[in-house]
Amino acid sequence: MKVMKFGGTSVGSPQRMQQVTKLITADTEKKIVVLSAVSGTTNALVEISSLLAKGDRIAAKQKIDTLEAQYQQFIKSLVITPTGINLAENIVKEHFEFLTIILRISYSEALNKDVLAQGELLSTKLFSAYLMEQGIAHKLLPALDFMTIDANDEPQVEAIRTRILSLLGQYPDATLFITQGFICRNAKGEVDNLKRGGSDYSASLIAAAVQASVCEIWTDISGMHNNDPRIVNKTIPIEQLSFDEAAELAYFGAKILHPASIWPAQQYNTPVKLLNTMEPEAKGTLISGQATSSGVKAIAAKDGITAINIKSSRMLLAYGFLRKVFEIFEKYKTPIDMITTSEVAVSVTIDSDASLPAIIKELEAFSTVVVDYNQTIICIVGNEIAATPKSIQQVFESLNEVNVRMVSYGGSAHNISILVAAELKKQVLQQLNSGLFGL
Ligand code: ADP
Ligand code: ASP
Ligand code: MG
């Protein structure tokens, strides 16, 4: 059994859905196909939800109507038979009626998650209608019946496995299953999600749960590139990455993969392939337990970082100081990404400011706190990079003249991270691209 995940652009038009159909019917291996929402839909739903949160029902209604008109257009070229048209029209009607009803209910966080879930529900049901019209046998597996997160918002593979195997067991002869990425149920049983870009995470969790032969992530680019192609002029695809390398790149900002999507694959040793729906013959990237070479492989950048410098008011970094600092971050469930220490102070970075005022207040009870907003972590990744002196030398030579706020080296054998002001990101990525890859 294999898992194939198609992102928003890959299902972004009726023609793309036809292309996806070709790819999923190219061989006879049993498969679970995980779909994202049609590209642009989740962004539109986020906007609708935030208008509702502000109480602006008129603007929300306008956005809902615009989105509905886009779906009406979409189904016109997706299905052609009376049965297919009827089915697709009913699907669109059902989900837009739901959004219209939500307009009348008072806004809550749970409602927000319900709104966001409509994208994946629409894309999978419409795709299923298309497959039905084409006479392609398949089963729609509702992700809300098996994908769950626990009270800490963490998915547990074993819990997912029990439920998905029981669902699959109901259709012993089926060879093609379609399901939603991104959406899940939380510990309270409410509709929730795996955060933006979460369909990759759904796919790798499902692949781990069913012990798939491979987890294929089909997107709009031919694999992981050595640098962010949206920012840097010249980038090249990487043929092979180890789980460790891919996990670091995903966590530190390579948008092609959800930050948490590698751990299930790594833990359950499921190979992951990054492939291009628009160019299926391209090699893409294979991510597996093997690392083929040492030294620098790729660079990623993570935005929206806040750096906090915490200086002990006792002028010496007494034992117990770090524990006190970390306990505060733990209390507010705020993960720390980078850490550097000196004799009297520690600097840490976080990617969520939600609890920052409360954290600062508690830190100020025993230290002086200075906060730098709008920072970017640049992460240079490669197998055993920390043991490759030439790589380190090249990294620092490439950073010539750059004002670096923090450096983290040695925490992982596969990563060197630096922190710079966000406005330097493009320049630094470009300089590293030339210095490390000669591009
Ligand atoms: P999908 O909708 O298929 O999930 P995403 O937009 O989430 O696709 O991810 C693919 C995009 O990730 C690419 O189009 C590319 O612009 C961006 N990206 C950022 N960093 C990288 C990288 N290092 N390699 C490849 N793509 C990257
Ligand atoms: N549709 C969701 C998003 O846009 C999940 C995904 O595409 O992976 O974030
Ligand atoms: Mg994505």
Side-chain angles (χ1 to χ4, degrees):
M1 171 121 77
K2 73 174 171 178
V3 171
M4 299 174 83
K5 175 258 169 177
F6 294 88
T9 323
S10 304
V11 293
S13 67
Q15 295 70 30
R16 294 264 157 83
M17 283 198 175
Q18 288 155 13
Q19 168 72 356
V20 169
T21 307
K22 268 198 219 152
L23 293 170
I24 63 175
T25 50
D27 62 65
T28 53
E29 188 174 358
K30 200 165 175 165
K31 44 188 82 77
I32 301 179
V33 174
V34 180
L35 301 187
S36 292
V38 167
S39 60
T41 299
T42 311
N43 285 347
L45 293 169
V46 167
E47 282 178 41
I48 290 165
S49 196
S50 66
L51 288 168
L52 287 176
K54 281 191 263 169
D56 193 346
R57 281 160 205 242
I58 295 172
K61 174 83 175 83
Q62 273 168 1
K63 279 242 162 273
I64 294 171
D65 290 345
T66 310
L67 192 62
E68 181 169 6
Q70 285 167 11
Y71 274 89
Q72 295 295 357
Q73 212 44 47
F74 191 101
I75 60 175
K76 267 194 192 141
S77 13
L78 181 72
V79 281
I80 44 168
T81 62
T83 322
I85 293 170
N86 191 31
L87 186 58
E89 277 178 350
N90 281 335
I91 294 164
V92 173
K93 195 163 153 235
E94 179 200 340
H95 289 278
F96 282 91
E97 263 176 19
F98 175 81
L99 288 172
T100 312
I101 290 168
I102 274 189
L103 274 176
R104 296 190 216 114
I105 304 172
S106 58
Y107 178 85
S108 68
E109 196 45 42
L111 213 58
N112 164 44
K113 304 283 175 60
D114 270 319
V115 171
L116 298 196
Q118 301 311 304
E120 272 69 12
L121 292 169
L122 274 163
S123 64
T124 46
K125 288 186 190 179
L126 290 175
F127 185 62
S128 167
Y130 173 72
L131 291 181
M132 223 177 270
E133 190 179 84
Q134 298 297 310
I136 297 168
H138 67 284
K139 293 280 172 236
L140 204 52
L141 282 185
L144 297 177
D145 289 354
F146 66 84
M147 187 57 75
T148 49
I149 48 176
D150 63 16
N152 293 318
D153 290 349
E154 298 285 349
Q156 301 295 342
V157 173
E158 298 308 321
I160 296 163
R161 165 176 298 154
T162 310
R163 276 187 295 269
I164 199 168
L165 291 185
S166 137
L167 281 173
L168 293 173
Q170 293 173 20
Y171 312 104
D173 300 328
T175 53
L176 180 60
F177 295 92
I178 313 295
T179 190
Q180 298 84 22
F182 182 57
I183 61 174
C184 63
R185 279 194 195 278
N186 61 27
K188 290 186 233 156
E190 299 161 342
V191 173
D192 211 317
N193 61 61
L194 300 174
K195 312 261 161 63
R196 295 304 306 272
S199 299
D200 304 325
Y201 200 13
S202 304
S204 70
L205 287 163
I206 295 169
V210 303
Q211 291 171 305
S213 60
V214 59
C215 176
E216 295 180 351
I217 309 273
W218 291 82
T219 181
D220 57 5
I221 189 165
S222 300
M224 178 76 79
H225 279 218
N226 72 308
N227 207 331
D228 194 328
R230 295 165 302 175
I231 298 170
V232 170
N233 290 337
K234 199 162 186 299
T235 61
I236 43 170
I238 305 165
E239 276 186 27
Q240 215 271 339
L241 284 170
S242 68
F243 287 127
D244 284 327
E245 290 170 326
E248 302 261 14
L249 288 167
Y251 186 75
F252 286 104
K255 192 195 171 224
I256 188 170
L257 284 171
H258 178 281
S261 56
I262 293 300
W263 78 255
Q266 180 159 29
Q267 203 165 317
Y268 292 81
N269 204 18
T270 317
V272 176
K273 276 187 190 166
L274 307 180
L275 296 158
N276 189 346
T277 310
M278 278 54 91
E279 208 189 317
E281 60 294 335
K283 265 206 161 119
T285 303
L286 170 68
I287 303 167
S288 68
Q290 271 111 45
T292 46
S293 60
S294 337
V296 179
K297 283 262 184 73
I299 305 163
K302 187 170 171 178
D303 297 319
I305 303 294
T306 301
I308 309 161
N309 184 263
I310 308 145
K311 192 169 171 193
S312 164
S313 43
R314 294 170 55 198
M315 291 313 288
L316 264 182
L317 198 62
Y319 57 83
F321 172 67
L322 288 178
R323 179 181 51 75
K324 269 161 74 178
V325 168
F326 292 142
E327 268 174 3
I328 294 170
F329 286 89
E330 186 184 352
K331 178 173 165 191
Y332 290 98
K333 292 191 174 167
T334 302
I336 292 170
D337 282 332
M338 281 176 76
I339 308 170
T340 54
T341 59
S342 79
E343 190 198 1
V344 293
V346 53
S347 268
V348 302
T349 70
I350 56 173
D351 64 4
S352 159
D353 285 355
S355 304
L356 189 57
I359 290 174
I360 294 175
K361 197 161 170 245
E362 295 210 21
L363 289 170
E364 280 178 341
F366 58 91
S367 58
T368 311
V369 180
V370 179
V371 179
D372 288 321
Y373 297 95
N374 286 328
Q375 305 286 303
T376 294
I377 294 176
I378 311 269
C379 181
I380 301 120
V381 171
N383 178 45
E384 299 298 340
I385 192 173
T388 323
K390 193 157 172 283
S391 301
I392 303 155
Q393 186 191 338
Q394 282 176 333
V395 168
F396 286 98
E397 273 172 11
S398 315
L399 291 173
N400 184 24
E401 308 262 312
V402 173
N403 195 355
V404 174
R405 164 78 176 72
M406 279 168 75
V407 179
S408 176
Y409 164 68
S412 151
H414 318 295
N415 150 3
I416 300 171
S417 299
I418 60 163
L419 188 76
V420 296
E423 68 259 25
L424 296 176
K425 169 172 138 177
K426 186 174 175 164
Q427 176 201 335
V428 173
L429 288 180
Q430 198 73 61
Q431 276 181 225
L432 287 167
N433 213 43
S434 322
L436 299 175
F437 300 96
L439 292 168

